[in-house]
Amino acid sequence: MPAPPITSRLVSIAWCILVPFGVLATYLGLGLAVIPMVGEPVMGTAVLGGLVALLVGAARLFRPRWFAHAPAVRPVAGTPHFTRTVLGCLVLAFLAGQSLALWLYTLGGSAGFDESTRARADVGPVVALLLALVAGPVAEEMLFRGLLYPLLRRRVGIVAAVLITATGFSLLHANVVQFAATLPLAVLLALVYERSRVLWPSVLLHLAFNLAAVLVPAQLLGALANPVSALLMTAAFLGCALAVYRMAAPGPVPAQDGQEGGRESEPQAA
């Protein structure tokens, strides 16, 4: 007998609180154990990322049912169009995030962002690039799109899972500048995972975003550091993200013999 709607809703709300808290608390707990052992924060974060990738990757390999949720993977029809839309949305995610981040930084700075920048400079370019282009994308995709997002989707719909995962991902960067810079990317990556159910597209998109952040000088983006540009870029990104959502969201189930067609493939919880 199905649970009453109010009970089901309360369970979903509790799930949306406890699962992100458990995932992030476990990650931070591992960090408190690993980083002091390494002795250097940036290198320690890279080692932590490798450990997270190993643990989550092993769980996804040996216990795939833990990460499965309805509906099943969508057919590949329309994949080239989806890919082009995602790439365009990635450009808008970068511009929207950078515009908002630079504008916020000009308003009052960010001690956390300054400290993060100094820490990466102190370890040198090789370690910093290792973290930005290898350890970061792999570990963060494993943790957020490979673990947190599918666990959330077992109880709630796409919108709730995307917003919670994206917020957790951006909060993990621990300063307002990087929160603003990464939030659009996190929304896009969750939608891409919803469509593909594999991690490598999200890892590659994450890597491309980080590479652009490394290679594109902040001076070239300086013209975007104002509220008008931030608003326009964010609006353009949201429009593109809506198009990606429509391609990733469950469609109607084809009519079967003796059954009524046009039914949604899964109920969507808030």
Side-chain angles (χ1 to χ4, degrees), residues 5 35 40 48 70 84 86 109 111-112 136 143 166 176 238 243-244 248 269:
I35 294 176
E40 199 290 314
L48 173 63
R84 290 192 296 270
V86 165
L143 185 67
V176 67
L238 290 175
V244 175

Side-chain angles (χ1 to χ4, degrees), residues 178-255:
Q178 288 179 294
F179 178 92
T182 57
L183 189 60
L185 172 70
V187 170
L188 176 62
L189 294 178
L191 292 173
V192 169
Y193 180 82
E194 174 68 34
R195 167 77 179 227
S196 67
R197 306 297 172 87
V198 293
L199 287 172
W200 65 264
S202 296
V203 171
L204 291 179
L205 291 168
H206 194 153
L207 188 156
F209 183 95
N210 285 1
L211 184 62
V214 170
L215 295 180
V216 178
Q219 293 81 355
L220 294 181
L221 300 170
L224 299 177
N226 59 79
V228 175
S229 294
L231 180 62
L232 291 176
M233 290 296 175
T234 300
F237 166 76
L238 290 175
C240 192
L242 179 60
V244 175
Y245 167 79
R246 288 174 174 169
M247 297 179 200
V253 176

Side-chain angles (χ1 to χ4, degrees), residues 97-264:
Q98 293 295 316
S99 177
L100 184 57
L102 289 170
W103 173 51
L104 291 174
Y105 189 77
T106 61
L107 289 179
S110 170
F113 177 72
D114 292 338
E115 178 60 30
S116 175
T117 302
R118 282 193 298 269
R120 290 193 300 269
D122 289 343
V123 297
V126 174
V127 176
L129 287 175
L130 174 67
L131 180 62
L133 303 182
V134 180
V138 173
E140 289 171 359
E141 292 314 302
M142 282 285 188
L143 185 67
F144 287 96
R145 265 61 64 175
L147 177 62
L148 179 56
Y149 183 83
L151 290 179
L152 288 171
R153 282 288 283 120
R154 293 177 67 89
R155 289 292 315 179
V156 300
I158 296 174
V159 173
V162 166
L163 293 179
I164 294 170
T165 306
T167 301
F169 172 79
S170 296
L171 283 174
L172 194 67
H173 291 80
N175 63 79
V176 67
V177 172
Q178 288 179 294
F179 178 92
T182 57
L183 189 60
L185 172 70
V187 170
L188 176 62
L189 294 178
L191 292 173
V192 169
Y193 180 82
E194 174 68 34
R195 167 77 179 227
S196 67
R197 306 297 172 87
V198 293
L199 287 172
W200 65 264
S202 296
V203 171
L204 291 179
L205 291 168
H206 194 153
L207 188 156
F209 183 95
N210 285 1
L211 184 62
V214 170
L215 295 180
V216 178
Q219 293 81 355
L220 294 181
L221 300 170
L224 299 177
N226 59 79
V228 175
S229 294
L231 180 62
L232 291 176
M233 290 296 175
T234 300
F237 166 76
L238 290 175
C240 192
L242 179 60
V244 175
Y245 167 79
R246 288 174 174 169
M247 297 179 200
V253 176
Q256 304 291 329
D257 292 339
Q259 297 182 0
E260 182 180 355
R263 182 173 52 87
E264 288 295 315

